[in-house]
Amino acid sequence: MITPTNWQLAAASPLANHRRLLWTLSCLLPAVSLETQSRKADTLISEWLSWALLFASIELYRLIWRRPGQATAEVYDEAETSDVELLVAGAIVVSSACEQQSSVGWVTLLEAPLSIAPNISTFAIATNAARTFHWPFQAIAAAASALQALFQIVTLQHGNSKTSRVLWLFSILPLWFLLSTKSTVFSTGPWHPIHWNILSSQHPIEILMADAKARHSALLQSQSQTLDEAVVEYRRRYKRPPPRGFDSWFNIAKSQNVVIIDNFDTITKSFEPFWGLPPSVLRDIIQEVGKDLSQVFDIKSTNGNFSSTSGDFFLFGEILKQIEPYMGMLPELPVPMLVNRLHNHDLPRVVIPHDILDYLKHGSQLASLQPLSNTKFHDFRWIDLHGQPTLDTLTLSCPPDAPIRWHRDEAIESSGISFMTDISGSMDICSHPDLRYKHGAWSAQSGDAQMITHTPVPIFSTSRLTTHHDIIIPSPYYWNDFRRYSPTSNESWHSKKNTLYWAGSTTGVHLGGSRDWHNTPSQRHRFVELVNDLPNPRNVTLMRKTPSNKWTTYESPMSSQSHLYNVHFSQFVQCDDAACEKQKEYFEKATESLHWSHFGYRFLFDLDGNGFSGRYYRFLESNATIFKQTIFQEWHDEFITPWLHYVPVSMGMEELPELMRFFAQTEEGEKRAWEIAREGGEWARKALRREDTSAGFMRALLEYARVVDDRRDEMSCC
């Protein structure tokens, strides 16, 4: 034992006379914190309040029991109870707190030495928090706090290595709770799930919707209202001044009531790899690719006039309509724009290998830039992946240590119910290898003839996979007359059928020979099989409340929900004759084939085919609750808010039956479903107009004009 100094004795003596009272007071704040967290977990204010109380209590411990700046081993009095016994008492607190009968644990801890008591209390509280908190950062922070407290306890052993080894065994407690219980933030599935707080009486969907509403409100409030504000925000986001013409763009966008002014990260950051090349090299690459216009078409700008020599007149005409409001401010383009030929192929084109990406990121600082440019960047060719193994080629852009690099042999099975939160992260196959088993885009039997290049060339596409580096622009297909929403063909949400509807073709994969939908990762076939309970009856996981008003899961036959779905294929395509006939015998064909038939249903499912779905905007405006499943990034991803404007569905779809049970079969769920339909429709009519897509397209055009110009560093605005 370290001999206490006179200051320590003077400070400790009065405290020792009121030990139980001080200990009770020091435990009050964390107790209130946990109670606040358990009763009001659905509100952001109470969440932060509970954490503030918890950390305030820790600071209170340190102020009372330890002199500021003093070494950890300098303690105030001699231990009356072994530290192992104290940790056992802490475990009692954790266990009993879960049952709300914590008196035994607290009474035991009242006899703890003043040197250890604060840390053991923190360990107990944080370990319990790791078990019950439902938000990822909460549970991880709680487990880290528990381990920190344990480290401090071990440090106070004064070199007792045997006791220290025993104490470290207790690190299993918070880690076990974090990794293996229903409140864990981790899952075997790839969908960044949120699991519910077992102490909360709210359904997790209600919690997600409340959070989405708060995030979207913050998004709207953060938008720049003046040019000066927009310039400052642009510099903050992209670490450079905005491009020339930004001021004119801002004025036109504001005059047309464009709501989103700042959130164009998806478009703007698409250009980042190309800043690593000198403009002259970049122009040479574009000119080289432009010699073969089989996969792209060109758009040239001369004296403010736009033209194309490659004949994709529909897309060219639609792009001209996008540009029209900004004709007076259009920059000159020293090289043509190259636009993906979407009528032939729905998939993006550019996959830059990771070593070249890393080079481009740091290229402007490297003296060897020009030699590498000559040897690698000018070696352009199209790579035809149709019918070939695609995964290795399409994931060359993933970092060397990414899970997809070493986890190749088997699918990852997920269990339980997970609700999507990180939509962008869920699309990333580099981090989630099992996407290859759930979506046809990664298959050698992809529904589209995948033609890609590894050359860093800015090709404009309307969507992309996370492994690709195309420049994302708003899709003209959303404004095709066939795909536009017609209010005359719709009705109010409450008068529609209480059913989830989808009808579509068998796009997404090619089937034939030995390939059928059972051994091919087809997202559409898996969806139709699931909701029609094929090929064999299955049980699904649902949720219900216990008598104590808490949520739990249970198994139920999928057939019990058969009346909630009207999902069928309307056409059997992209298959040889035998494969098409086999599908016709296996699947029931949709009886409704008109493109407006879906407007009679409350719930509409939107999912990928060969590429992104062109129905999305029309669905959002149709007074229906949209269930959206996709792995394709689009320009609008940053400001169409999941759980407010639509319901996100994972590629595994394990949560789909519970989504329908809640939204279609409960009174509270129906209210929430209608809210999503209303919010989604209002937002689409406010932020997804032709004026909004024009603003997005022009942002891409301004960035392109600057990055390919020799004066790129001078072509700045404001």
Side-chain angles (χ1 to χ4, degrees):
M1 174 182 173
I2 297 177
T3 304
T5 64
N6 292 335
W7 184 91
Q8 291 171 320
L9 290 174
S13 179
L15 293 176
N17 296 330
H18 305 286
R19 183 176 184 177
R20 291 179 181 271
L21 176 60
L22 287 170
W23 176 252
T24 301
L25 292 175
S26 65
C27 290
L28 178 61
L29 285 179
V32 172
S33 172
L34 284 179
E35 183 68 11
T36 303
Q37 190 68 43
S38 65
R39 291 185 180 274
K40 299 182 180 179
D42 59 309
T43 64
L44 187 63
I45 294 177
S46 63
E47 178 181 311
W48 285 110
L49 175 61
S50 64
W51 275 101
L53 291 171
L54 183 58
F55 287 120
S57 68
I58 296 174
E59 290 303 315
L60 177 61
Y61 294 149
R62 295 182 180 183
L63 288 173
I64 294 177
W65 306 126
R66 188 178 296 170
R67 183 179 182 179
Q70 201 159 4
T72 303
E74 295 178 7
V75 297
Y76 294 1
D77 63 352
E78 185 174 3
E80 301 169 1
T81 311
S82 75
D83 291 326
V84 175
E85 290 174 345
L86 289 173
L87 276 176
V88 172
I92 294 173
V93 172
V94 173
S95 176
S96 58
C98 295
E99 300 298 329
Q100 299 179 350
Q101 297 173 353
S102 56
S103 56
V104 176
W106 294 123
V107 169
T108 306
L109 281 173
L110 287 177
E111 298 303 322
L114 297 179
S115 61
I116 304 296
N119 291 324
I120 190 59
S121 176
T122 301
F123 174 85
I125 293 169
T127 301
N128 185 36
R131 193 186 84 89
T132 58
F133 285 168
H134 65 284
W135 292 111
F137 81 91
Q138 289 177 318
I140 294 173
S145 298
L147 294 176
Q148 180 187 23
L150 184 62
F151 173 79
Q152 292 174 339
I153 295 170
V154 171
T155 304
L156 290 170
Q157 293 308 304
H158 320 316
N160 189 335
S161 59
K162 182 177 180 180
T163 304
S164 297
R165 285 195 296 270
V166 175
L167 289 171
W168 276 120
L169 292 176
F170 284 90
S171 64
I172 296 173
L173 276 173
L175 294 176
W176 175 261
F177 284 149
L178 184 65
L179 295 171
S180 66
T181 67
K182 281 187 176 180
S183 63
T184 180
V185 298
F186 299 104
S187 167
T188 53
W191 302 113
H192 296 268
I194 175 174
H195 290 273
W196 57 96
N197 184 336
I198 62 171
L199 298 178
S200 175
S201 61
Q202 278 200 309
H203 194 284
I205 292 175
E206 297 178 271
I207 298 173
L208 286 164
M209 289 183 64
D211 177 68
K213 187 174 183 179
R215 286 187 291 107
H216 188 69
S217 177
L219 170 73
L220 294 180
Q221 293 176 12
S222 69
Q223 297 305 302
S224 298
Q225 299 302 315
T226 67
L227 177 61
D228 289 342
E229 291 176 354
V231 170
V232 170
E233 179 61 16
Y234 186 101
R235 288 176 176 270
R236 185 192 70 81
R237 287 173 179 264
Y238 312 119
K239 313 307 179 189
R240 61 173 64 97
R244 182 176 296 173
F246 183 84
D247 50 352
S248 298
W249 173 88
F250 176 87
N251 292 330
I252 295 174
K254 293 298 287 185
S255 70
Q256 296 187 333
N257 298 316
V258 173
V259 179
I260 299 300
I261 297 296
D262 303 317
N263 291 72
F264 289 96
D265 289 0
T266 304
I267 291 175
T268 307
K269 291 183 177 180
S270 298
F271 288 92
E272 286 303 319
F274 307 109
W275 278 87
L277 285 173
S280 60
V281 174
L282 190 56
R283 291 196 304 272
D284 287 346
I285 294 173
I286 294 170
Q287 297 284 11
E288 183 69 21
V289 177
K291 295 177 181 179
D292 179 2
L293 296 176
S294 61
Q295 309 302 318
V296 297
F297 73 94
D298 61 351
I299 297 180
K300 300 177 180 178
S301 170
T302 306
N303 298 324
N305 297 316
F306 284 77
S307 62
S308 176
T309 61
S310 51
D312 199 323
F313 298 113
F314 166 73
L315 278 178
F316 176 63
E318 289 297 318
I319 288 174
L320 285 183
K321 292 178 184 177
Q322 302 272 29
I323 296 172
E324 186 175 359
Y326 299 86
M327 278 295 187
M329 54 155 286
L330 292 176
E332 291 293 321
L333 299 179
V335 287
M337 296 171 56
L338 300 178
V339 183
N340 195 356
R341 286 185 179 271
L342 298 178
H343 72 285
N344 290 333
H345 309 294
D346 292 335
L347 295 174
R349 301 290 180 210
V350 185
V351 178
I352 305 176
H354 187 267
D355 60 337
I356 298 181
L357 271 178
D358 191 56
Y359 172 82
L360 293 175
K361 182 178 179 181
H362 306 288
S364 58
Q365 286 80 42
L366 297 179
S368 61
L369 180 65
Q370 196 63 32
L372 183 59
S373 302
N374 290 332
T375 57
K376 282 194 174 184
F377 298 152
H378 288 177
D379 184 23
F380 167 76
R381 65 188 178 97
W382 290 114
I383 303 171
D384 187 354
L385 297 180
H386 186 59
Q388 304 296 321
T390 61
L391 191 68
D392 287 340
T393 304
L394 294 181
T395 57
L396 283 175
S397 59
C398 297
D401 58 349
I404 190 64
R405 299 289 196 183
W406 47 266
H407 193 154
R408 293 292 185 87
D409 298 331
E410 60 182 22
I412 303 175
E413 296 298 330
S414 57
S415 59
I417 298 181
S418 300
F419 298 97
M420 294 184 69
T421 55
D422 183 1
I423 310 303
S424 177
S426 72
M427 300 176 178
D428 183 13
I429 194 174
C430 298
S431 302
H432 304 305
D434 65 333
L435 280 174
R436 64 177 295 201
Y437 302 100
K438 297 176 178 179
H439 199 286
W442 309 107
S443 169
Q445 291 77 43
S446 169
D448 201 2
Q450 298 203 41
M451 299 287 289
I452 69 155
T453 180
H454 292 318
T455 301
V457 54
I459 293 178
F460 291 81
S461 295
T462 54
S463 68
R464 71 180 185 187
L465 302 167
T466 58
T467 50
H468 288 61
H469 302 92
D470 301 54
I471 306 299
I472 298 182
I473 56 175
S475 173
Y477 279 99
Y478 285 131
W479 296 104
N480 181 286
D481 289 340
F482 177 77
R483 297 177 180 274
R484 285 175 130 177
Y485 166 69
S486 174
T488 59
S489 61
N490 203 6
E491 54 188 301
S492 68
W493 188 89
H494 292 92
S495 62
K496 297 184 179 188
K497 297 176 184 177
N498 192 31
T499 305
L500 177 69
Y501 180 82
W502 181 85
S505 58
T506 55
T507 55
V509 292
H510 279 280
L511 301 178
S514 61
R515 303 188 306 271
D516 65 19
W517 57 94
H518 295 300
N519 57 26
T520 302
S522 167
Q523 65 276 8
R524 292 195 168 192
H525 288 82
R526 290 192 308 107
F527 168 57
V528 175
E529 278 196 328
L530 170 65
V531 299
N532 288 287
D533 208 16
L534 298 171
N536 299 307
R538 72 190 76 192
N539 286 337
V540 293
T541 304
L542 303 176
M543 295 176 62
R544 63 187 173 196
K545 279 189 176 182
T546 65
S548 59
N549 206 34
K550 306 299 185 293
W551 286 101
T552 186
T553 58
Y554 68 99
E555 299 295 309
S556 177
M558 183 65 192
S559 59
S560 66
Q561 288 196 343
S562 60
H563 62 290
L564 297 178
Y565 303 95
N566 184 353
V567 172
H568 302 285
F569 286 119
S570 59
Q571 297 183 73
F572 298 95
V573 298
Q574 296 180 179
C575 46
D576 62 26
D577 292 342
C580 285
E581 287 301 319
K582 188 175 181 180
Q583 292 178 85
K584 291 177 183 178
E585 295 173 1
Y586 183 79
F587 295 103
E588 179 183 348
K589 189 175 180 180
T591 57
E592 300 172 300
S593 57
L594 296 176
H595 78 280
W596 58 81
S597 59
H598 47 249
F599 289 151
Y601 297 86
R602 288 184 179 180
F603 306 98
L604 299 179
F605 203 88
D606 193 41
L607 76 166
D608 302 331
N610 292 337
F612 74 99
S613 169
R615 304 174 176 182
Y616 191 24
Y617 287 11
R618 184 171 82 240
F619 278 10
L620 284 171
E621 290 189 75
S622 68
N623 294 334
T625 305
I626 310 306
F627 286 44
K628 178 72 171 175
Q629 180 196 72
T630 186
I631 62 168
F632 288 96
Q633 297 176 322
E634 295 187 67
W635 81 286
H636 53 233
D637 289 348
E638 297 162 74
F639 53 86
I640 303 181
T641 306
W643 300 110
L644 178 65
H645 302 135
Y646 70 97
V647 179
V649 180
S650 72
M651 291 306 302
M653 295 180 287
E654 294 88 356
E655 78 276 31
L656 179 57
E658 173 58 20
L659 291 173
M660 283 304 296
R661 185 206 67 79
F662 177 75
F663 284 126
Q665 294 186 298
T666 69
E667 181 179 353
E668 185 61 31
E670 286 194 10
K671 294 178 183 178
R672 300 294 188 178
W674 177 75
E675 288 177 12
I676 292 176
R678 182 194 64 203
E679 293 286 346
E682 290 179 355
W683 185 241
R685 288 184 285 273
K686 180 182 295 185
L688 298 176
R689 306 163 303 153
R690 185 181 286 276
E691 293 87 346
D692 303 300
T693 57
S694 293
F697 187 89
M698 276 307 303
R699 282 289 290 261
L701 197 56
L702 292 177
E703 297 291 346
Y704 181 73
R706 175 167 64 171
V707 79
V708 298
D709 198 292
D710 287 328
R711 303 164 299 160
R712 62 164 61 154
D713 294 330
E714 304 168 15
M715 292 184 64
S716 301
C717 167
C718 322

